[in-house]
Amino acid sequence: ALYTGVLVSALAPSMPFWSLSLLPGVAIPAMPLLFLVSAVATGVGLTVMVSGTLMVGDMRQQIRRLPVIHLVLIALEVGLLALLLATALWQGGAAAQAAESLAIGAHSAIFWALFVVPGFAIPLAILGLGVAGVHSRALELVAGICIIVAGLVLRYLVLISGIPVTL
């Protein structure tokens, strides 16, 4: 995931959205960090899904902190994505066009329906129930599937949203 993010961000002059810094004026590329956090969140989501559906009784106590860690990772991913979109809009040009295409433009239906809702809203609700002590194997399976789909959709959206600039 980190390698893919570095590789995508290395196309700096020709794809401004892919090569955005984490913050304006800070030379830390956003894509490697976003891809890394997303990959870890997806992996932990898969672990939560498998452990929630296959584990029984006493084993559940051994992994009780895993959903909390996953909630933190999802929150971090949301923060990074929001920061990336805000930085793109602030920068303007092709980067802003790419961010707008994700949030309100041509790719917004995919962004909201296949990334935000299944990647954040559904898992946060289900993990929140789990932290509160409500456990359901079916719900944990749904959350895991949603997280995996959203992880794939994020990578797809980042790649199709890049708007090339003529050099």
Side-chain angles (χ1 to χ4, degrees), residues 49-156:
M49 177 189 72
V50 169
S51 64
T53 55
L54 299 180
M55 297 255 177
V56 292
D58 296 335
M59 293 300 290
R60 189 176 294 278
Q61 286 296 355
Q62 294 179 3
I63 60 155
R64 69 183 182 279
R65 290 190 187 104
L66 199 56
V68 175
I69 293 168
H70 194 223
L71 284 171
V72 170
L73 287 168
I74 289 174
L76 184 59
E77 189 176 2
V78 168
L80 284 170
L81 186 62
L83 190 60
L84 176 70
L85 294 175
T87 302
L89 292 171
W90 180 83
Q91 182 176 334
Q97 288 175 347
E100 288 173 359
S101 80
L102 285 178
I104 59 173
H107 304 113
S108 63
I110 296 170
F111 178 75
W112 293 104
L114 295 177
F115 178 65
V116 173
V117 171
F120 301 134
I122 293 172
L124 283 175
I126 293 172
L127 287 170
L129 288 171
V131 169
V134 177
H135 296 284
S136 165
R137 289 182 181 192
L139 287 177
E140 290 172 356
L141 182 63
V142 167
I145 291 169
C146 286
I147 290 162
I148 292 168
V149 167
L152 292 171
V153 170
L154 171 66
R155 284 146 185 80
Y156 171 75

